[in-house]
Amino acid sequence: MKFTFTIPDSLPEMTIKHFLEEQLLIPRKIRHFLRTKKHILINQEEVHWHQTIKSGDECQLIFDEEDYPTKEIALGNPKLVEEVYQDQHLIIVNKPEGMKTHGNQPDEIALLNHVSAYVGQTCYVVHRLDMETSGLVLFAKNPFILPILNRLLEKKEISREYWALVDGRLEAKDLIFRDKIGRNRHDRRKRVVDQKTVNTPKPT
């Protein structure tokens, strides 16, 4: 697995070590492999670990099978995949209602299996939707990009919007609900409004 990319103008100058650890979130063991095998090149040249990189530099990373072992999963039906966007690193698909994002058992076939068959390689779930929910789901096409997408999601640099159907008459056209959501104590798979939080008086 090989990746070649140009350092963007938005990234300040930093050492190779800091770049791999803080920006690309590459695990310590794999950073060690990159260093000892000389599998990181800047502008087609081998580099020192504490060398500084800057915008415009071309970076090439080479990973062996032992760095990111292939995870084999059962392949699904590629015809069930509705692609919305795809590039070298990720794919976004439209999940239909009634389909799980990923299986709970090794032999269970779900959207992840269909997407992997569609792409032709094992993909990785970045976020999930409940089986009853339809909408866009993001998958990483390799384990290298997965932690980067996870961090973007945690920092809300990847935004999501949800639409819901409601029954009955609402008090107003626009409503904002700020109640905290907790687990249903009768079914841990479900979420409910946390009444303890709602009923707790605010400090004065």
Side-chain angles (χ1 to χ4, degrees):
M1 188 165 55
K2 180 186 298 184
F3 297 100
T4 302
F5 51 91
T6 302
I7 304 300
D9 294 337
S10 59
L11 198 69
E13 291 189 9
M14 63 183 67
T15 63
I16 298 291
K17 180 179 181 298
H18 184 83
F19 176 64
L20 298 180
E21 182 177 353
E22 301 297 331
Q23 296 296 318
L24 299 186
L25 305 179
I26 296 178
R28 182 177 181 179
K29 179 180 178 181
I30 301 177
R31 295 199 308 271
H32 174 72
F33 288 152
L34 289 173
R35 182 179 185 181
T36 57
K37 296 177 183 178
K38 302 184 185 304
H39 276 185
I40 175 170
L41 303 176
I42 300 297
N43 300 321
Q44 301 298 319
E45 296 181 355
E46 296 180 3
V47 293
H48 298 292
W49 207 237
H50 294 284
Q51 179 175 324
T52 299
I53 59 173
K54 58 184 182 302
S55 63
D57 283 344
E58 182 185 84
C59 179
Q60 184 176 90
L61 303 177
I62 304 170
F63 299 104
D64 293 332
E65 173 65 22
E66 64 178 328
D67 299 334
Y68 289 109
T70 301
K71 180 182 178 182
E72 299 292 344
I73 66 171
L75 298 181
N77 185 355
K79 295 182 180 180
L80 298 179
V81 175
E82 182 183 343
E83 177 189 328
V84 176
Y85 174 82
Q86 182 177 185
D87 61 23
Q88 178 187 4
H89 302 293
L90 58 88
I91 180 171
I92 301 173
V93 304
N94 190 27
K95 187 187 85 65
E97 178 186 356
M99 181 184 294
K100 289 185 177 181
T101 302
H102 58 81
N104 296 324
Q105 303 297 329
D107 58 346
E108 187 175 7
I109 302 299
L111 180 62
L112 170 62
N113 307 85
H114 302 316
V115 170
S116 296
Y118 180 84
V119 172
Q121 65 190 61
T122 300
C123 293
Y124 302 83
V125 177
V126 179
H127 72 97
R128 61 182 292 276
L129 290 176
D130 290 339
M131 184 171 69
E132 296 81 4
T133 304
S134 63
L136 302 183
V137 181
L138 172 62
F139 293 88
K141 293 173 63 176
N142 58 71
F144 164 68
I145 201 68
L146 180 61
I148 299 175
L149 294 175
N150 283 335
R151 182 173 66 176
L152 292 175
L153 197 64
E154 292 171 0
K155 295 175 64 176
K156 300 188 184 303
E157 294 183 24
I158 296 177
S159 60
R160 293 174 289 176
E161 291 185 359
Y162 294 89
W163 291 67
L165 296 176
V166 297
D167 184 26
R169 297 180 63 86
L170 300 177
E171 299 175 0
K173 183 178 180 180
D174 296 318
L175 292 173
I176 298 177
F177 296 93
R178 301 188 184 279
D179 298 335
K180 293 188 176 181
I181 298 176
R183 288 186 181 275
N184 185 325
R185 62 190 181 94
H186 301 293
D187 188 342
R188 292 183 61 82
R189 296 173 300 174
K190 296 181 180 180
R191 302 292 187 272
V192 296
V193 172
D194 190 341
Q195 294 296 337
K196 293 182 180 179
T197 303
V198 173
N199 296 328
T200 300
K202 296 182 179 179
T204 56

